[in-house]
Every structure is written in structure tokens, then in C-alpha cells.
Amino acid sequence: MSIKLFDVSFGYNSNSPLFSRLNLTIPTCRWVTIIGDCGSGKTTLAKLIAGILTPESGDIIFPWDNVNSYKPEFGYLFQNPEDQFVHFNIEREIAFSLENVGLAPDEMFSRVEESLRRANLWNRRNDSPNNLSGGEKQRLALAGMLITEPKVLILDEPTSFLDVITQTELYKITKELLDEKVSIIWITQEPNEIYMSDYVIELNGGEVSYYGESADYICKYYPEGCL
């Protein structure tokens, strides 16, 4: 199963499109890393897939037919987690997505508690997100995405502001999500994060310059890391 882009075109300036008739297949239930230089189109591609942006032409086809309003298909974790916070209370922040879909209060409370415990933030539930460390904010934003049980989680350079210990925690959570059949699309400029993924999509000026398994990419461009 996969997400398929057919002849997708998009540009912020109509006279100079970033993508022109882009065709791409993205495997699901896998860790797919999108890499490339600044301005190559990584975030734009992710936002097109998530429906945050709309293609000017072409189609994006998903491997599911029924949309359940209680389970949004995509979760999008921005590079700066503070960009997604809407409440000054951690517990209310997590509950916000469930309130939007009208979940029953009892089930909502149960899922909020489970989500915050998984993020190791239950004891901070009455605090403000502003009082959290950078790593804790990232965990809160991630918990807010996961509580809706998305099919695909998109992470936009999620380790940019994290220390090594917190990065390791995020990698562990991501691998657990793969075991739960959540598809991961991970945007990065860090070569070491390619090693953990299954597939690599490299963009260069709005075009795909490499597409394939991560192991093949590593052997081609980082032979010292090839096993």
C-alpha cells in the first residue's frame, strides 16, 4: 500500500512552480525520510501530502477509502512545537483535538490521561506549555497529534532543537509507532537520521534526485556506513 502523487504541480509563485508534474510513490507503514537542501521543497511536499496545501494540478491518491472524523488521517508535527499550541493548559491542549470531533467526555478523559502518561507529562497536566523544556514541548506536541490516532505522522525536522537524550527518546517513540502500523514521513537535514529509516526521498530544486531504500542510499553516498 502506498500514497501516490500523479503529475502534481505547485508553486508559491505561479510564474515559477516549485513542483512541475511530480510523480512519486510513498510506501505506507514504513519510515520514509525526505532530505534535501534548504528550499528544495521538503516541507512543501509534506504539506501537500497532508492536505495543508492544495496542488495546482494533479492528484494525490491515498490507500484508504473511508474517512473517519474521529481519526484524522494525518498528524503533522512542526519543527517548532510552539506553533501548534492553542491552550495555556497542558491537559486542555491535549483534549483540544478530541473536542473538535465531539468525543464523549469519559472517553476523552481516558485518552488524554493515557496520552500524557505515554509522553511522561501526566504530572505536569495543570501547567502551561510555556513552562516546559524544549524536549517536553516536543513530546506534548507529539502527544497532541497521536491522540487522534492518525494513519500517517509527518515530522518536520523534529530533532532540530533537541538535546541528544531527547532525540533518543523521540527515535524510540517513532519506532514504537511503526510497530503500531503508523506511517512515518520524516523531514531532516541530518545524515545520521537516514540510517534509522526504511526509504529515502531526496529533493533537489523541486525534483526527486534520489528515491529508494535507505540502505542503498547509505552505501552510495556514505560507504563508510555501509554494512
Side-chain angles (χ1 to χ4, degrees):
M1 300 177 69
S2 57
I3 300 170
K4 297 181 182 293
L5 285 73
F6 293 103
D7 290 339
V8 169
S9 296
F10 177 84
Y12 298 99
N13 182 339
S14 59
N15 295 323
S16 180
L18 178 56
F19 295 115
S20 181
R21 300 180 67 86
L22 176 66
N23 291 280
L24 187 62
T25 298
I26 300 175
T28 55
C29 300
R30 294 291 187 271
W31 184 332
V32 179
T33 298
I34 302 177
I35 62 174
D37 294 334
C38 291
S40 61
K42 302 186 297 298
T43 295
T44 300
L45 175 60
K47 289 182 176 180
L48 286 166
I49 294 169
I52 297 173
L53 297 175
T54 303
E56 295 172 0
S57 61
D59 296 298
I60 302 178
I61 308 299
F62 304 101
W64 50 76
D65 297 320
N66 299 321
V67 177
N68 185 335
S69 61
Y70 288 88
K71 294 179 63 176
E73 312 301 338
F74 290 92
Y76 196 109
L77 186 66
F78 290 89
Q79 183 175 358
N80 184 352
E82 293 181 357
D83 291 344
Q84 12 198 145
F85 296 154
V86 296
H87 281 285
F88 292 101
N89 174 276
I90 289 173
E91 190 171 21
R92 290 282 295 162
E93 178 65 38
I94 293 296
F96 177 72
S97 297
L98 301 181
E99 291 173 345
N100 284 343
V101 297
L103 204 65
D106 288 347
E107 183 176 354
M108 185 187 306
F109 179 82
S110 174
R111 288 173 62 174
V112 167
E113 180 177 357
E114 179 183 359
S115 182
L116 285 176
R117 287 191 184 280
R118 182 175 187 176
N120 198 24
L121 291 171
W122 177 246
N123 292 335
R124 305 287 303 276
R125 61 188 179 276
N126 294 318
D127 288 353
S128 166
N130 295 328
N131 295 333
L132 299 178
S133 68
E136 289 171 333
K137 289 177 181 177
Q138 193 72 290
R139 293 206 306 270
L140 176 60
L142 183 60
M145 296 295 98
L146 296 180
I147 200 168
T148 60
E149 301 177 343
K151 288 182 170 69
V152 181
L153 181 64
I154 298 176
L155 302 98
D156 193 346
E157 300 193 28
T159 59
S160 296
F161 303 111
L162 303 183
D163 58 38
V164 174
I165 293 176
T166 311
Q167 287 179 19
T168 302
E169 291 177 352
L170 182 58
Y171 298 147
K172 180 177 180 291
I173 292 172
T174 302
K175 291 175 181 178
E176 290 173 352
L177 292 172
L178 287 170
D179 292 337
E180 297 170 12
K181 305 302 181 184
V182 177
S183 302
I184 303 296
I185 297 177
W186 183 290
I187 302 171
T188 186
Q189 296 189 59
E190 299 296 330
N192 67 296
E193 294 179 347
I194 299 171
Y195 286 75
M196 291 174 286
S197 65
D198 300 305
Y199 291 88
V200 174
I201 299 170
E202 183 178 50
L203 297 179
N204 186 358
E207 296 185 356
V208 177
S209 55
Y210 182 91
Y211 171 80
E213 294 186 9
S214 299
D216 294 337
Y217 184 89
I218 291 166
C219 287
K220 182 175 182 179
Y221 294 104
Y222 301 95
E224 67 280 4
C226 184
L227 300 178

